[in-house]
Amino acid sequence: MKDHLVKAVADGVRVHAAVTTRLVNEAIRRHDCWPVAAAALGRTMTGALLFAANLKNEEAVTIKFSGNGPLGTVTADAVPEGYVRGYVDQPHVDPPLNGQGKLDVGRAVGSEGLVSVTRFTGLKDPVSGSAALVNGEIAEDLTHYLYVSEQTPSSVGLGVLVNPDMTAKAAGGFLLQPLPDADDAVITRLEENLKGVRSVSHMVEAGLDAKGIIAELLKGFEVEYLSETELAFRCQCSKKRIESVLMSLGADDLQSLMDDGHAEVCCHFCGEKYEFSKEELERLQAARHRK
């Protein structure tokens, strides 16, 4: 199944659902994530895609978890066109399983710290908000963030099922929000549906696509499916962009790289490595002086 996101509405309800197994596997491969890091990063990237679905083209959102757990910071950038990138500070973390025998993402992220959401909407300054972590499990923290920072009651579900070989078997998520005109009966039906729904990762493992996830969430509702977007892990980095970064260094720093005879720059978000020869560095230094 290709990774994809579907947007839909029903009577007084808005919902986004996504299947993200392939892009999570791409992140695992690029960052050499161990299972708990794969789960935390996969959930965060999926959450970012769900948040970005409300944006206009050429806008973007960044979600950052800064907890007191051993993973360090977990960061994801997403755009409404369906592209996401992300990284985790410490991908080789291996805490014990939790009491239910599952990956202990909460312990790895930490229950003390902040989740920050920044929306880049084309205005002079981005729109940012943050909230204290609830338990570090990502979905509950994003639900809490939407309620306390944006005054938007929501339900966020995220899941990554990791194979013994450290690949993702199934990954996906949903963002469910009652609309302002939703009455009490609608809210009650939603709550009852959510009580009986399976975890997102198990729905994806069972073969449900995004529309199937929405149908599970909105049983008894007349659903109108609005759009479907293909998703992928994609970074905006390029050698030309890295050249600009190198040219912004001080003259002494750039000279030090030339003295070493080469430079290797690794992108945090995707792990791509860019090599620069001494001749390339000399060309950048000369261009820097001309400026």
Side-chain angles (χ1 to χ4, degrees), residues 54-65:
N54 279 328
L55 300 176
K56 298 176 182 177
N57 287 347
E58 299 184 6
E59 296 182 347
V61 65
T62 297
I63 295 180
K64 182 178 292 186
F65 282 85

Side-chain angles (χ1 to χ4, degrees), residues 15-286:
V15 62
H16 304 155
V19 173
T20 57
T21 310
R22 291 189 178 191
L23 67 88
V24 171
N25 271 314
E26 181 66 11
I28 292 171
R29 182 187 71 80
R30 286 180 174 272
H31 297 299
D32 189 29
C33 291
W34 290 7
V36 75
L41 181 57
R43 292 180 192 180
T44 304
M45 291 195 305
T46 303
L49 285 164
L50 294 167
F51 276 42
N54 279 328
L55 300 176
K56 298 176 182 177
N57 287 347
E58 299 184 6
E59 296 182 347
V61 65
T62 297
I63 295 180
K64 182 178 292 186
F65 282 85
S66 303
N68 63 337
L71 285 178
T73 301
V74 185
T75 306
D77 287 344
V79 296
E81 292 84 357
Y83 305 129
V84 67
R85 62 180 187 168
Y87 71 95
V88 54
D89 282 349
Q90 302 295 332
H92 295 166
V93 168
D94 188 27
L97 299 177
N98 64 21
Q100 289 76 45
K102 298 180 180 180
L103 294 173
D104 200 343
V105 174
R107 179 177 177 181
V109 171
S111 57
E112 295 181 10
L114 292 175
V115 52
S116 305
V117 178
T118 303
R119 289 180 170 86
F120 301 88
T121 60
L123 301 175
K124 181 179 179 181
D125 296 314
V127 179
S128 298
S130 62
L133 296 179
V134 176
N135 57 13
E137 291 286 341
I138 310 296
E140 291 91 335
D141 299 296
L142 291 177
T143 298
H144 178 68
Y145 164 81
L146 287 167
Y147 184 74
V148 301
S149 185
E150 300 188 5
Q151 292 75 55
T152 308
S154 311
S155 178
V156 179
L158 301 165
V160 177
L161 193 60
V162 182
N163 286 313
D165 64 359
M166 293 194 286
T167 60
K169 185 175 186 180
F174 66 81
L175 171 58
L176 183 66
Q177 295 176 323
L179 297 173
D181 61 349
D183 59 30
D184 290 343
V186 167
I187 302 297
T188 299
R189 287 166 64 194
L190 285 176
E191 291 174 345
E192 288 301 316
N193 283 0
L194 288 170
K195 286 178 184 176
V197 79
R198 294 174 286 173
S199 68
V200 183
S201 55
H202 285 103
M203 284 193 276
V204 176
E205 181 190 20
L208 293 186
D209 60 5
K211 287 185 177 179
I213 294 171
I214 292 173
E216 290 270 321
L217 296 169
L218 298 182
K219 284 182 179 177
F221 288 84
E222 187 173 336
V223 181
E224 179 185 357
Y225 296 101
L226 302 177
S227 64
E228 181 171 329
T229 304
E230 287 194 13
L231 305 175
F233 185 107
R234 180 179 295 183
C235 189
Q236 297 97 322
C237 73
S238 65
K239 190 163 187 175
K240 194 163 189 67
R241 288 196 176 194
I242 302 300
E243 286 181 356
S244 298
V245 173
L246 291 175
M247 288 181 66
S248 70
L249 296 175
D252 291 344
D253 291 330
L254 199 50
Q255 183 62 51
S256 177
L257 293 175
M258 286 189 290
D259 293 342
D260 290 340
H262 77 286
E264 181 183 273
V265 181
C266 182
C267 175
H268 275 305
F269 276 99
C270 68
E272 194 72 29
K273 294 180 179 179
Y274 295 92
E275 300 278 353
F276 291 87
S277 66
K278 184 175 182 180
E279 292 72 24
E280 288 175 310
L281 294 170
E282 290 173 343
R283 175 176 56 80
L284 293 178
Q285 182 77 298

